[in-house]
Structures are given as C-alpha cells and as structure tokens.
Amino acid sequence: MGKLRDKFARFMIGRYGVDNLGRVLVYASLILLILSMFIRYRIVYILAIAALIYAYFRIFSKNVSKRYEENRKFLNLQHKISGRFSALKNQGQDKDHRYFKCPACKQKVRVPKGKGKISIRCPKCHAEFIKRT
C-alpha cells in the first residue's frame, strides 16, 4: 500500500491539488448527482458530470498560477456573500442599536435605540437625516 501512495505522491508533484473551489465543485457535483436520481432532467446529470470533470481538471492541472488565481477570486466572492449574512446576523442580535442607511451615500449608520426622533449625521458624507429610533 505504501508503494502506491508513493507513486501517487510522485505523480502529484508540480500539480495544483485540492483547494476550496475544488472541494465546492466536488460537493456540488455529488449533490447534483444525488438530485439527478430523483429528478429526471438530463441537464442536472450533465451539470454534475461537468462540475466533476472541471474539479478533477483543476486538481491535476500543472498551471498552478492560473488555478491559484481562480481560487482567490472564488474566495473573494465567498467572503463577500458570507460577510453580508454575518453582518445581518450581527445586526439582528444587537438589541441596543438601530441601523439606518444614509439616503445620500448608502453608508450604514448605527444609532442607539430608544432616543425617539433624532437627527442622524452620516460619518462618511456628513448628510443629515431624521429617523425614529
């Protein structure tokens, strides 16, 4: 068993390997394959196979710089999406403050709750607007 592992390790030298985007592609293809067993649309099966082929292409690719750049773009997109959800979660858990968007620049402004009708000044563009807290 050790010889086979050593041969595979030598084969993988200089190749990109598995990263976050590769894992997501493999998991997505497995989910689509399972889904294709219940949904009889051929396009779901074709998408699953295409995602799996692309994942293996990325894993065995020798163009490391291009695969690294693809993964970096994917991680940036993932961070943007998860950052929005975590910000909404944090706002929902904050019981002492209200959050408003500045009508001029769309900057989020945090103000204390229970102060009644107040004038809020945006820290970014210095526009003033009146809201009830």
Side-chain angles (χ1 to χ4, degrees):
M1 192 66 169
K3 287 182 182 180
L4 185 61
R5 186 178 303 143
D6 292 339
K7 284 183 180 181
F8 185 70
R10 278 195 301 274
F11 172 74
M12 288 301 289
I13 292 174
R15 299 184 190 275
Y16 188 64
V18 181
D19 61 357
N20 290 6
L21 178 57
R23 271 189 221 101
V24 168
L25 285 170
V26 169
Y27 292 147
S29 67
L30 289 175
I31 290 169
L32 287 173
L33 280 173
I34 292 170
L35 196 62
S36 72
M37 291 188 308
F38 300 109
I39 299 174
R40 296 296 178 175
Y41 291 117
R42 194 146 187 85
I43 190 73
V44 177
Y45 180 75
I46 291 171
L47 286 173
I49 297 299
L52 196 59
I53 289 171
Y54 185 61
Y56 278 109
F57 164 75
R58 291 188 79 256
I59 290 169
F60 295 123
S61 174
K62 287 192 173 187
N63 192 350
V64 175
S65 62
K66 188 145 186 161
R67 303 294 88 81
Y68 177 80
E69 189 64 28
E70 289 171 355
N71 188 51
R72 189 184 62 78
K73 288 179 183 177
F74 169 73
L75 289 176
N76 285 340
L77 179 67
Q78 183 184 26
H79 179 70
K80 283 182 184 177
I81 293 170
S82 66
R84 287 187 180 155
F85 285 115
S86 66
L88 286 174
K89 180 183 172 188
N90 291 340
Q91 285 180 17
Q93 292 175 347
D94 189 2
K95 302 296 181 198
D96 299 329
H97 298 90
R98 291 276 316 262
Y99 292 85
F100 297 104
K101 276 190 180 178
C102 172
C105 67
K106 308 298 184 218
Q107 171 74 31
K108 284 185 185 172
V109 181
R110 185 179 80 157
V111 295
K113 261 188 182 178
K115 300 294 182 185
K117 201 176 215 185
I118 61 171
S119 175
I120 303 168
R121 184 179 197 134
C122 176
K124 187 176 179 183
C125 68
H126 304 291
E128 286 196 30
F129 54 99
I130 297 173
K131 292 287 183 176
R132 181 169 175 80
T133 65

